[in-house]
Amino acid sequence: MFTDNKDFYPTPKHLIDKMLFDLDFNYINSVLEPSAGKGDIVKALEDIKKPIHQYGRNKYNFDIDCIEVDQNLQHILKGKNYRVVHDDFLTYDTMKEYDLIVMNPPFSSGVKHLLKALEMQERNGGGIICLLNAETLKNQFSNDRIILSRKLEEYNATIEYLQDTFLDAERKTDVEIALIKVQLPTVQRHSFIFDGLRKAAEQKEEYINTEDTQIAENNLYKSIVRQYELEVQAGINLIKEYNAMYPLIMREFGKDAGTGETIQKGGCILSLDLSRNKDKYRNELSVNNFIQEVRGKYWTALFNNPKFIGKLTGNLKTDFYNRIEDLKNYEFSLYNIYELKIEMSKKVVKGIEETIIGLFDEFSHKHYWDKDNSSNIHYYNGWKTNKSWYINDKIIIPLSGFDSFWNKYRPTDYKVKEKLQDIEKCFNYLDGGLTEAVDLEESLKFSEEYGETKNIVLKYFNITFYKKGTCHITFTNPELLKKFNIFGSQKKGWLPPSYGKKQYKDMTPEEKSVVNEFEGEKEYNKVMSDTKYYLFDGNSMNLLEDKTA
């Protein structure tokens, strides 16, 4: 692990204890570890949070974000269920506030990392604990080092030089270390309402133009991220303005018991809370709670956007939608959007294959007991079994386009529409975008409006609904249906392992017998002439590619 990452020096336990010693965690709600490595510092922080006894509450309640640039280490952190919110700390851009940044950054770029941490904490105040190569502070040969020393002096940082701290570590070094602890003061904010009244008229036109610019963005993801950033910044300004206004707009005047001076008291006239947050125990008006709720709003909006999740099946949509609460802890950024797309793409291949097999089963043996459904399949003698079949070009499934309660034809019912969409999505993956699009939802709306129950034309098949609760499907693309049957039969193990790999003339008599039963020599030769089309390989497809984004 160490040979590939020359800057990775895991922090030994005794040094972590020294770093965290004398911190008062009663005043720490959020922590950032921007060079998390394999999570040694994070583990120490998590241990501090552990309950006092088995059924007790956590001794301290704070959340921890991690950043790590090394992908191998990222996997380790995620495997430990630590929250990795970004890869490179130097490019991390967030409006979230951290009460504490604790880090052991790469020695080669320690100055830049500490300057970045100082820049973040200068916005709102907060603590920093950092390990640096002592030479960084003792030998000020660069502008960055000079600026860093001035800032540490300005904020009255404590610096302790330590010898031999890494001699018994996982990765040893005799470099002298500087342990830096600095607490930046909370930024004092003043109300801009009274001072800003005379400027309001001038700023109104500028604000409207800015808003219009945001709406006019063409790129989906960049546009929505910019809109998120605008909303968060506006909300943060409002919260901080409210906090600054609070002592100036209280309910009543009264006398101070000690001085006799007239003061405002009795609580604030105005109320500001997180109306989206239904949990009364987490309804505290704070910047971080507000950011969490806005993140949830935008992640939800993204999952409701067809351009983002349009290719997911119903089950996968539900799985990802159920992660909204966890995603509130992750910055709504291009980095995290594309990380999520990568994860979705990996799951889509597995999910779509499972859905295709589910449809293969549903179209065949699942409803074999019904005399109408028995015509769905054609039996053949498969590889090592005589219980094999493929789907015919006309099938019947139990799917009602009629609302029995209202006695009304309703093919646009959610369950009907989602089922047909899932079938279409499976064939979309198999088709690879070769077939001209037909708007399924519009076709169903047209059918409902005009009461057309028969031969409704969709992208890959026509459908007819019957009042007894069945749907007749006629596939209109025989080659795609053939591809579907090959996929299902291969996954079931009903075709020889050599199928699609060996020419017919080179097959054994046993292999030829199965192929003859399944499709015949002529059709098999057609497969061999275009295996790229007939033998589906989901891993070679960019399943979530969005050409409009």
Side-chain angles (χ1 to χ4, degrees):
M1 182 188 295
F2 302 141
T3 56
D4 294 332
N5 189 341
K6 296 180 180 179
D7 274 321
F8 178 48
Y9 284 85
T11 316
K13 178 67 168 59
H14 69 87
L15 188 51
I16 295 174
D17 292 340
K18 191 173 185 65
M19 294 171 74
L20 303 181
F21 178 72
D22 74 13
L23 284 174
D24 187 350
F25 285 96
N26 288 302
Y27 298 96
I28 295 174
N29 295 310
S30 54
V31 183
L32 174 66
E33 216 290 45
S35 304
K38 59 185 178 65
D40 294 325
I41 294 177
V42 181
K43 182 182 184 305
L45 291 167
E46 289 285 356
D47 288 343
I48 292 171
K49 290 173 58 178
K50 286 182 178 177
I52 300 173
H53 51 79
Q54 184 178 0
Y55 300 106
R57 296 178 61 189
N58 288 353
K59 186 176 182 181
Y60 300 104
N61 184 25
F62 54 87
D63 71 308
I64 307 168
D65 287 346
C66 301
I67 294 174
E68 176 52 53
V69 71
D70 188 305
Q71 290 189 352
N72 292 324
L73 296 175
Q74 284 181 18
H75 288 306
I76 293 174
L77 293 169
K78 291 176 181 178
K80 296 177 179 179
N81 290 322
Y82 296 155
R83 187 192 305 151
V84 180
V85 297
H86 197 62
D87 54 348
D88 185 357
F89 176 55
L90 297 179
T91 65
Y92 185 47
D93 186 16
T94 184
M95 287 177 271
K96 183 174 180 178
E97 298 176 358
Y98 293 100
D99 299 308
L100 176 65
I101 299 176
V102 55
M103 59 183 182
N104 174 13
F107 286 170
S108 62
S109 55
V111 174
K112 293 185 182 298
H113 280 70
L114 184 49
L115 284 173
K116 168 82 172 183
L118 287 165
E119 178 188 338
M120 288 179 64
Q121 300 300 64
E122 281 170 345
R123 297 197 300 249
N124 305 290
I128 299 173
I129 301 173
C130 178
L131 296 178
L132 281 188
N133 186 334
E135 186 70 7
T136 303
L137 300 179
K138 292 184 176 181
N139 185 2
Q140 299 180 24
F141 67 86
S142 69
N143 287 337
D144 280 350
R145 292 189 179 191
I146 293 171
I147 292 171
L148 176 61
S149 292
R150 288 175 180 173
K151 282 183 176 288
L152 293 177
E153 183 177 357
E154 176 187 351
Y155 294 122
N156 297 316
T158 63
I159 303 172
E160 183 179 358
Y161 293 99
L162 305 171
Q163 294 277 2
D164 303 331
T165 53
F166 279 81
L167 287 182
D168 58 350
E170 288 182 57
R171 189 174 185 189
K172 298 175 173 52
T173 179
D174 57 358
V175 172
E176 184 182 17
I177 303 300
L179 173 56
I180 301 166
K181 295 186 179 182
V182 55
Q183 181 69 37
L184 278 72
T186 301
V187 176
Q188 297 299 316
R189 305 189 184 277
H190 304 280
S191 171
F192 61 83
I193 296 293
F194 300 105
D195 293 336
L197 283 175
R198 53 188 169 81
K199 299 179 182 178
E202 301 171 6
Q203 294 174 339
K204 184 176 181 180
E205 185 64 29
E206 179 182 349
Y207 175 77
I208 292 174
N209 289 339
T210 302
E211 191 174 34
D212 289 342
T213 301
Q214 297 298 327
I215 295 173
E217 289 287 340
N218 293 324
N219 184 289
L220 170 66
Y221 302 135
K222 287 183 180 178
S223 176
I224 196 171
V225 167
R226 287 175 184 173
Q227 185 175 335
Y228 158 78
E229 292 172 346
L230 179 65
E231 182 170 337
V232 168
Q233 191 58 65
I236 291 173
N237 289 345
L238 178 62
I239 291 172
K240 291 183 176 177
E241 177 61 19
Y242 177 79
N243 290 335
M245 290 171 59
Y246 193 93
L248 303 175
I249 52 173
M250 302 186 85
R251 289 189 180 277
E252 59 188 69
F253 282 99
K255 296 288 185 180
D256 183 274
T259 64
E261 293 181 359
T262 300
I263 60 170
Q264 296 197 58
K265 64 178 184 178
C268 190
I269 293 173
L270 295 176
S271 175
L272 191 63
D273 61 27
L274 299 175
S275 60
R276 282 180 60 86
N277 193 337
K278 298 178 182 179
D279 184 349
K280 64 181 181 179
Y281 299 108
R282 295 182 63 246
N283 202 29
E284 177 189 355
L285 181 62
S286 73
V287 167
N288 287 352
N289 284 350
F290 168 70
I291 291 175
Q292 275 195 325
E293 294 309 310
V294 178
R295 285 173 176 173
K297 167 186 170 180
Y298 278 84
W299 284 119
T300 301
L302 197 62
F303 283 133
N304 286 330
N305 191 305
K307 291 184 179 179
F308 189 72
I309 50 87
K311 293 184 179 181
L312 295 182
T313 59
N315 288 340
L316 280 176
K317 282 183 185 178
T318 301
D319 289 345
F320 278 98
Y321 201 85
N322 287 338
R323 292 179 53 186
I324 295 295
E325 197 63 31
D326 178 56
L327 284 169
K328 288 182 180 182
N329 293 309
Y330 291 81
E331 193 67 38
F332 188 80
S333 63
L334 288 175
Y335 168 81
N336 282 328
I337 289 173
Y338 286 113
E339 281 290 298
L340 192 62
K341 283 191 68 172
I342 291 169
E343 181 185 347
M344 289 169 69
S345 185
K346 292 176 181 177
K347 289 189 175 181
V348 159
V349 174
K350 185 174 183 294
I352 197 64
E353 291 188 357
E354 291 174 351
T355 304
I356 292 172
I357 292 300
L359 284 177
F360 189 81
D361 288 341
E362 185 173 347
F363 292 164
S364 54
H365 76 282
K366 186 174 181 181
H367 306 293
Y368 73 93
W369 46 266
D370 188 290
K371 62 182 179 63
D372 290 333
N373 300 97
S374 62
S375 62
N376 285 359
I377 58 177
H378 174 80
Y379 289 94
Y380 67 94
N381 289 320
W383 185 251
K384 308 298 185 185
T385 178
N386 59 2
K387 296 180 180 179
S388 307
W389 56 78
Y390 59 77
I391 310 302
N392 287 324
D393 60 353
K394 294 181 181 180
I395 64 170
I396 303 172
I397 62 172
L399 185 67
S400 179
F402 293 86
D403 188 326
S404 58
F405 183 81
W406 295 103
N407 193 26
K408 184 179 179 181
Y409 178 53
R410 285 193 60 199
T412 56
D413 176 78
Y414 174 75
K415 291 182 179 179
V416 175
K417 184 171 63 175
E418 186 176 67
K419 183 63 181 179
L420 293 173
Q421 284 175 335
D422 275 359
I423 297 173
E424 187 173 282
K425 284 173 184 176
C426 288
F427 279 84
N428 274 337
Y429 286 112
L430 292 170
D431 182 45
L434 296 178
T435 304
E436 186 177 349
V438 174
D439 193 315
L440 182 146
E441 195 163 351
E442 286 300 315
S443 295
L444 294 179
K445 284 181 181 177
F446 181 88
S447 166
E448 182 173 313
E449 183 177 352
Y450 291 95
E452 293 288 349
T453 62
K454 296 183 178 180
N455 295 321
I456 304 165
V457 178
L458 300 180
K459 187 173 181 180
Y460 301 110
F461 45 86
N462 299 339
I463 57 174
T464 296
F465 291 106
Y466 288 91
K467 283 191 173 181
K468 62 180 179 179
T470 60
C471 175
H472 291 221
I473 298 176
T474 302
F475 295 100
T476 53
N477 186 331
E479 299 308 312
L480 193 57
L481 180 61
K482 177 182 176 71
K483 189 175 183 178
F484 177 81
N485 279 317
I486 292 172
F487 183 90
S489 295
Q490 283 189 314
K491 291 293 181 181
K492 294 288 186 180
W494 296 339
L495 294 177
S498 61
Y499 186 93
K501 301 174 184 177
K502 187 189 292 188
Q503 294 294 334
Y504 182 85
K505 62 182 178 61
D506 298 325
M507 284 184 163
T508 66
E510 188 180 12
E511 291 170 333
K512 287 180 180 179
S513 175
V514 176
V515 169
N516 290 339
E517 285 273 345
F518 180 66
E519 61 192 335
E521 179 180 357
K522 183 178 178 181
E523 287 296 310
Y524 180 73
N525 288 336
K526 187 192 294 186
V527 173
M528 290 301 296
S529 67
D530 193 3
T531 55
K532 187 175 181 180
Y533 173 77
Y534 287 103
L535 303 180
F536 175 74
D537 180 12
N539 293 317
S540 66
M541 301 174 66
N542 185 2
L543 297 177
L544 287 175
E545 182 181 3
D546 185 350
K547 294 181 174 61
T548 63

mmCIF file of all heavy atoms in Angstrom, residues 253-273:
data_model
loop_
_atom_site.group_PDB
_atom_site.id
_atom_site.type_symbol
_atom_site.label_atom_id
_atom_site.label_comp_id
_atom_site.label_asym_id
_atom_site.label_seq_id
_atom_site.Cartn_x
_atom_site.Cartn_y
_atom_site.Cartn_z
ATOM 1 N N PHE A 253 -39.993 45.988 25.467
ATOM 2 C CA PHE A 253 -38.940 46.697 26.196
ATOM 3 C C PHE A 253 -39.096 46.422 27.685
ATOM 4 O O PHE A 253 -40.197 46.193 28.185
ATOM 5 C CB PHE A 253 -39.031 48.205 25.958
ATOM 6 C CG PHE A 253 -38.471 48.650 24.642
ATOM 7 C CD1 PHE A 253 -39.303 48.893 23.566
ATOM 8 C CD2 PHE A 253 -37.105 48.808 24.479
ATOM 9 C CE1 PHE A 253 -38.788 49.303 22.348
ATOM 10 C CE2 PHE A 253 -36.571 49.219 23.263
ATOM 11 C CZ PHE A 253 -37.421 49.461 22.195
ATOM 12 N N GLY A 254 -37.970 46.464 28.375
ATOM 13 C CA GLY A 254 -38.033 46.287 29.816
ATOM 14 C C GLY A 254 -36.770 46.825 30.458
ATOM 15 O O GLY A 254 -35.846 47.286 29.774
ATOM 16 N N LYS A 255 -36.735 46.753 31.772
ATOM 17 C CA LYS A 255 -35.588 47.244 32.523
ATOM 18 C C LYS A 255 -34.647 46.102 32.857
ATOM 19 O O LYS A 255 -35.072 45.036 33.282
ATOM 20 C CB LYS A 255 -36.064 47.909 33.830
ATOM 21 C CG LYS A 255 -36.910 49.156 33.636
ATOM 22 C CD LYS A 255 -36.082 50.329 33.140
ATOM 23 C CE LYS A 255 -36.936 51.597 33.066
ATOM 24 N NZ LYS A 255 -36.133 52.749 32.585
ATOM 25 N N ASP A 256 -33.344 46.357 32.643
ATOM 26 C CA ASP A 256 -32.341 45.395 33.055
ATOM 27 C C ASP A 256 -32.260 45.411 34.570
ATOM 28 O O ASP A 256 -32.117 46.470 35.196
ATOM 29 C CB ASP A 256 -30.987 45.746 32.439
ATOM 30 C CG ASP A 256 -29.932 44.725 32.799
ATOM 31 O OD1 ASP A 256 -29.316 44.868 33.868
ATOM 32 O OD2 ASP A 256 -29.730 43.786 32.007
ATOM 33 N N ALA A 257 -32.374 44.209 35.168
ATOM 34 C CA ALA A 257 -32.411 44.128 36.632
ATOM 35 C C ALA A 257 -31.141 44.671 37.268
ATOM 36 O O ALA A 257 -31.175 45.209 38.379
ATOM 37 C CB ALA A 257 -32.638 42.678 37.060
ATOM 38 N N GLY A 258 -30.028 44.560 36.587
ATOM 39 C CA GLY A 258 -28.769 45.000 37.174
ATOM 40 C C GLY A 258 -28.481 46.465 36.978
ATOM 41 O O GLY A 258 -28.116 47.176 37.911
ATOM 42 N N THR A 259 -28.691 46.961 35.763
ATOM 43 C CA THR A 259 -28.292 48.343 35.446
ATOM 44 C C THR A 259 -29.453 49.305 35.426
ATOM 45 O O THR A 259 -29.269 50.519 35.506
ATOM 46 C CB THR A 259 -27.617 48.390 34.060
ATOM 47 O OG1 THR A 259 -28.582 48.014 33.061
ATOM 48 C CG2 THR A 259 -26.444 47.434 34.015
ATOM 49 N N GLY A 260 -30.670 48.777 35.291
ATOM 50 C CA GLY A 260 -31.823 49.663 35.200
ATOM 51 C C GLY A 260 -32.021 50.244 33.813
ATOM 52 O O GLY A 260 -32.951 51.023 33.587
ATOM 53 N N GLU A 261 -31.149 49.879 32.881
ATOM 54 C CA GLU A 261 -31.267 50.409 31.518
ATOM 55 C C GLU A 261 -32.434 49.739 30.784
ATOM 56 O O GLU A 261 -32.788 48.596 31.050
ATOM 57 C CB GLU A 261 -29.982 50.154 30.741
ATOM 58 C CG GLU A 261 -28.782 50.924 31.268
ATOM 59 C CD GLU A 261 -27.534 50.652 30.438
ATOM 60 O OE1 GLU A 261 -27.632 49.862 29.480
ATOM 61 O OE2 GLU A 261 -26.478 51.235 30.747
ATOM 62 N N THR A 262 -33.019 50.534 29.859
ATOM 63 C CA THR A 262 -34.098 49.987 29.031
ATOM 64 C C THR A 262 -33.504 49.053 27.989
ATOM 65 O O THR A 262 -32.586 49.421 27.262
ATOM 66 C CB THR A 262 -34.871 51.120 28.338
ATOM 67 O OG1 THR A 262 -35.426 51.982 29.332
ATOM 68 C CG2 THR A 262 -35.999 50.547 27.489
ATOM 69 N N ILE A 263 -34.036 47.817 27.919
ATOM 70 C CA ILE A 263 -33.530 46.825 26.960
ATOM 71 C C ILE A 263 -34.709 46.143 26.269
ATOM 72 O O ILE A 263 -35.850 46.282 26.689
ATOM 73 C CB ILE A 263 -32.679 45.743 27.653
ATOM 74 C CG1 ILE A 263 -33.520 45.012 28.706
ATOM 75 C CG2 ILE A 263 -31.413 46.329 28.250
ATOM 76 C CD1 ILE A 263 -32.860 43.775 29.275
ATOM 77 N N GLN A 264 -34.426 45.448 25.176
ATOM 78 C CA GLN A 264 -35.447 44.631 24.516
ATOM 79 C C GLN A 264 -35.389 43.223 25.083
ATOM 80 O O GLN A 264 -34.324 42.683 25.314
ATOM 81 C CB GLN A 264 -35.221 44.597 23.001
ATOM 82 C CG GLN A 264 -35.379 45.966 22.348
ATOM 83 C CD GLN A 264 -35.571 45.828 20.851
ATOM 84 O OE1 GLN A 264 -36.496 45.172 20.402
ATOM 85 N NE2 GLN A 264 -34.701 46.470 20.081
ATOM 86 N N LYS A 265 -36.571 42.616 25.251
ATOM 87 C CA LYS A 265 -36.608 41.281 25.846
ATOM 88 C C LYS A 265 -37.888 40.567 25.409
ATOM 89 O O LYS A 265 -38.714 41.109 24.673
ATOM 90 C CB LYS A 265 -36.532 41.366 27.364
ATOM 91 C CG LYS A 265 -37.720 42.077 28.012
ATOM 92 C CD LYS A 265 -37.598 42.082 29.520
ATOM 93 C CE LYS A 265 -38.841 42.702 30.163
ATOM 94 N NZ LYS A 265 -38.766 42.663 31.644
ATOM 95 N N GLY A 266 -38.043 39.335 25.869
ATOM 96 C CA GLY A 266 -39.304 38.622 25.657
ATOM 97 C C GLY A 266 -39.373 37.782 24.403
ATOM 98 O O GLY A 266 -40.457 37.412 23.972
ATOM 99 N N GLY A 267 -38.264 37.446 23.810
ATOM 100 C CA GLY A 267 -38.303 36.611 22.611
ATOM 101 C C GLY A 267 -38.492 37.433 21.357
ATOM 102 O O GLY A 267 -38.930 38.579 21.398
ATOM 103 N N CYS A 268 -38.193 36.806 20.208
ATOM 104 C CA CYS A 268 -38.192 37.523 18.936
ATOM 105 C C CYS A 268 -39.593 37.590 18.333
ATOM 106 O O CYS A 268 -40.373 36.630 18.415
ATOM 107 C CB CYS A 268 -37.244 36.834 17.963
ATOM 108 S SG CYS A 268 -36.931 37.784 16.470
ATOM 109 N N ILE A 269 -39.917 38.706 17.723
ATOM 110 C CA ILE A 269 -41.212 38.864 17.059
ATOM 111 C C ILE A 269 -41.319 37.916 15.869
ATOM 112 O O ILE A 269 -42.352 37.312 15.631
ATOM 113 C CB ILE A 269 -41.397 40.321 16.592
ATOM 114 C CG1 ILE A 269 -41.512 41.243 17.805
ATOM 115 C CG2 ILE A 269 -42.626 40.461 15.696
ATOM 116 C CD1 ILE A 269 -41.533 42.715 17.447
ATOM 117 N N LEU A 270 -40.222 37.799 15.118
ATOM 118 C CA LEU A 270 -40.200 36.939 13.941
ATOM 119 C C LEU A 270 -39.773 35.530 14.328
ATOM 120 O O LEU A 270 -39.025 35.333 15.279
ATOM 121 C CB LEU A 270 -39.224 37.478 12.894
ATOM 122 C CG LEU A 270 -39.558 38.829 12.268
ATOM 123 C CD1 LEU A 270 -38.431 39.256 11.340
ATOM 124 C CD2 LEU A 270 -40.868 38.755 11.504
ATOM 125 N N SER A 271 -40.267 34.548 13.563
ATOM 126 C CA SER A 271 -39.865 33.155 13.768
ATOM 127 C C SER A 271 -39.300 32.607 12.474
ATOM 128 O O SER A 271 -39.867 32.819 11.396
ATOM 129 C CB SER A 271 -41.073 32.314 14.206
ATOM 130 O OG SER A 271 -40.719 30.951 14.306
ATOM 131 N N LEU A 272 -38.191 31.899 12.563
ATOM 132 C CA LEU A 272 -37.547 31.290 11.391
ATOM 133 C C LEU A 272 -37.178 29.869 11.760
ATOM 134 O O LEU A 272 -36.475 29.620 12.732
ATOM 135 C CB LEU A 272 -36.291 32.088 11.010
ATOM 136 C CG LEU A 272 -35.641 31.768 9.668
ATOM 137 C CD1 LEU A 272 -36.578 32.071 8.519
ATOM 138 C CD2 LEU A 272 -34.350 32.584 9.509
ATOM 139 N N ASP A 273 -37.700 28.886 11.000
ATOM 140 C CA ASP A 273 -37.368 27.495 11.299
ATOM 141 C C ASP A 273 -37.259 26.708 10.000
ATOM 142 O O ASP A 273 -37.462 27.240 8.911
ATOM 143 C CB ASP A 273 -38.383 26.855 12.248
ATOM 144 C CG ASP A 273 -39.796 26.846 11.654
ATOM 145 O OD1 ASP A 273 -39.920 26.842 10.421
ATOM 146 O OD2 ASP A 273 -40.765 26.843 12.432
#
